[in-house]
Amino acid sequence: MNRVTKTHMNSAMYFPNMGIAPFFKVTVFEQEHFQGKFLEFTCECCNIHDCGLDNIRSIRVESGAWVGFEHHDFQGQQFILERGEYPNWESFSGSLSYHTERFMSLRPIYCASHHSSRMTIFEKENFLGRSTELCDDYPSLQAMGWFRPEVESMHVQCGAFVCYEYPGYRGQQYIMECERHSGDYQHWRTWGSHCQTPKIQSIRRIRH
C-alpha cells in the first residue's frame, strides 16, 4: 500500500464556545476493506483528488467524529463517521437507501464530549411556531410527543446532533453543529445541499 499523511493539525484546537476540542484522526483508503493507497487526516479535506486519491471507499476513524460528503467542497449526501471501522459503503451508509460508493470530501465535527448536548426544534421556518428542547437520543420524535413529521428550523445551543428522515435513525442524515452557522438553522434547506424535505423523525447526539 502507498501511504500519504496529511497532518495540518497535530494538537487539540481551541474554540471559544467549547474550550479545548479533542484530537482528530482518520485514515481513508482508496479501495474497500482497507486496501490500496491511503491517507491519514487530522483536519478537513475539501477535495480528495487534491490529496492524490481517486476516491474513498473504506475508512478507519481513530479519534473524534467526522462527516463524509459525497462530493467535493462538502456537498451532497452527508454520512456520520464515529470511532470505528467502515470497510465498505454499506457500513457507512447504514439504512440509507441512497447508494453511493465513495466520499470526495470530509471534515471533523467539533463538539466537546464533556459538554452537554442541547438543541431546540421548531414547527416553522425562522424559529417560529411550536418548539421543543432536546438533549438526548430520540429514535422517534412523534413517540416522545412531537406532533408532526416535519421540523422546519432548529437551533443547536451546544454539541452536535445527527437528524434522520425516518424513525429509528434511518434515511437521509443531516449533521447539525453549534459551531456552524452559530448553531442557527433558520430554514430546512440550510441542513445540506442534498436536503429535499423538512421531514425529520429521529435525532441522536454525536459523541466523541
Side-chain angles (χ1 to χ4, degrees):
M1 289 190 291
N2 299 316
R3 173 176 177 172
V4 182
T5 303
K6 307 292 285 187
T7 56
H8 299 153
M9 188 179 71
N10 290 319
S11 59
M13 294 186 70
Y14 179 79
F15 290 83
N17 296 332
M18 294 170 41
I20 299 298
F23 175 72
F24 295 91
K25 185 177 179 181
V26 64
T27 305
V28 301
F29 296 80
E30 202 166 36
Q31 302 299 327
E32 293 185 350
H33 301 289
F34 318 113
Q35 300 298 309
K37 187 187 296 185
F38 66 95
L39 296 172
E40 294 176 352
F41 287 97
T42 55
C43 58
E44 67 181 28
C45 173
C46 64
N47 189 343
I48 199 69
H49 285 167
D50 294 341
C51 299
L53 289 186
D54 288 335
N55 51 56
I56 297 172
R57 287 185 171 162
S58 55
I59 300 165
R60 284 195 179 107
V61 179
E62 300 180 46
S63 182
W66 296 71
V67 53
F69 295 84
E70 178 187 16
H71 302 305
H72 60 78
D73 296 321
F74 315 117
Q75 300 295 305
Q77 297 287 332
Q78 303 173 8
F79 300 89
I80 179 68
L81 302 167
E82 294 169 289
R83 188 169 182 173
E85 295 190 342
Y86 302 84
N88 51 39
W89 77 269
E90 291 97 339
S91 62
F92 55 72
S93 62
S95 58
L96 179 64
S97 59
Y98 184 87
H99 184 102
T100 183
E101 294 189 1
R102 65 182 187 183
F103 291 149
M104 295 302 296
S105 55
L106 74 164
R107 63 171 176 80
I109 299 172
Y110 299 114
C111 58
S113 59
H114 62 278
H115 282 198
S116 60
S117 299
R118 190 169 75 256
M119 74 183 301
T120 304
I121 58 176
F122 295 84
E123 176 188 13
K124 298 180 181 179
E125 299 169 11
N126 299 311
F127 317 121
L128 299 174
R130 287 181 285 183
S131 65
T132 191
E133 187 173 284
L134 309 176
C135 58
D136 207 339
D137 298 339
Y138 301 91
S140 171
L141 290 183
Q142 288 186 290
M144 56 79 67
W146 188 247
F147 47 90
R148 54 181 299 186
E150 295 86 19
V151 175
E152 298 210 9
S153 58
M154 59 186 71
H155 173 64
V156 182
Q157 291 96 322
C158 55
F161 293 81
V162 194
C163 300
Y164 296 84
E165 185 179 7
Y166 300 118
Y169 314 122
R170 296 177 300 111
Q172 305 279 3
Q173 302 177 14
Y174 310 103
I175 315 302
M176 308 296 182
E177 304 160 75
C178 69
E179 292 299 321
R180 292 189 175 265
H181 310 289
S182 299
D184 290 337
Y185 297 84
Q186 294 179 273
H187 188 285
W188 57 271
R189 291 193 182 277
T190 63
W191 300 347
S193 62
H194 63 306
C195 187
Q196 301 295 320
T197 171
K199 185 179 289 185
I200 294 290
Q201 297 188 51
S202 55
I203 295 176
R204 69 177 179 86
R205 296 173 293 167
I206 294 174
R207 302 172 176 84
H208 281 304

